[in-house]
Amino acid sequence: CRLLIIGEAMNPAEITKRERSKRVHFPRWLTPIYFALMLPLGLVVAPWGLSLLSPRYGWEAGRPGLLNLFPLALVVIGIVCIIWIIVLHYVAAPEGWDIERTPKYLLIRGPYKFSRNPSYLSLLLVLLGWMLFYGSLAILVVIVLVWGGLNYVGVPTEERDLEMRFGEDYRRYKNTVPRWFGKTRG
């Protein structure tokens, strides 16, 4: 078991007993199967189900209007970005993933050059695309709740954990890459 910090190896003895007990190992061979099931369920089926909870604005006779079709580009961009992020994590963890709050490695390439939270940003982009496609207020409510939970609870907690694990390397990354989106500042 090796810890990777921006390509630098750490001694496994540095992993505390408490950290080991929080881990659940996700075998590498299971990754494609898991995501082949979970991505369609979470990114396609769930928004469709949510859209049934409210009227579909812009739809006529059970079909989307022309303007409702353009936001599907946001869905595609978001899903492609999520797949890219999964591939980056897959490559960074050759022995498989240990499912825990703070990963053993710090990714700073790919979409992580532009956002410290590209997976959350991509999820919100997918939801925004579905919300506009379905013309659904129910999905809008979910977007607001998810963003609020992430921005005010999830991301700050995650950032504290990353700072504790990676120290100065993470602080340097945090000072050069915005939380949500933008150009590299440094």
Side-chain angles (χ1 to χ4, degrees), residues 124 142-156 180:
L124 290 168
V142 169
I143 291 170
V144 170
L145 292 174
V146 167
W147 180 81
L150 288 172
N151 197 49
Y152 296 106
V153 179
V155 171
W180 290 109

Side-chain angles (χ1 to χ4, degrees), residues 64-84:
L66 183 61
L67 292 178
N68 292 79
L69 296 176
F70 293 110
L72 290 177
L74 299 176
V75 173
V76 170
I77 291 167
I79 290 174
V80 166
C81 195
I82 288 170
I83 291 169
W84 184 12

Side-chain angles (χ1 to χ4, degrees), residues 4-123:
L4 300 176
I5 301 180
I6 314 176
E8 181 181 315
M10 274 184 87
N11 184 341
E14 295 177 30
I15 304 171
T16 66
K17 187 175 183 178
R18 190 174 125 227
E19 285 177 321
R20 269 190 229 108
S21 68
K22 288 194 298 187
R23 286 189 280 176
V24 174
H25 187 71
F26 194 84
R28 187 173 175 85
W29 64 267
L30 191 56
T31 304
I33 297 166
Y34 174 79
F35 286 109
L37 294 172
M38 296 312 293
L39 285 178
L41 284 174
L43 300 177
V44 178
V45 175
W48 168 79
L50 285 168
S51 76
L52 298 175
L53 299 175
S54 66
R56 290 184 170 180
Y57 295 99
W59 283 51
E60 293 180 27
R63 295 179 192 263
L66 183 61
L67 292 178
N68 292 79
L69 296 176
F70 293 110
L72 290 177
L74 299 176
V75 173
V76 170
I77 291 167
I79 290 174
V80 166
C81 195
I82 288 170
I83 291 169
W84 184 12
I85 291 163
I86 291 168
V87 168
L88 287 174
H89 282 280
Y90 187 80
V91 169
E95 290 89 30
W97 291 342
D98 287 332
I99 299 174
E100 55 186 324
R101 253 184 22 193
T102 309
K104 297 184 295 186
Y105 50 86
L106 181 61
L107 286 177
I108 60 169
R109 64 182 190 271
Y112 290 93
K113 287 181 180 179
F114 307 101
S115 170
R116 295 194 310 263
N117 299 288
S119 56
Y120 300 147
L121 192 60
S122 298
L123 171 64

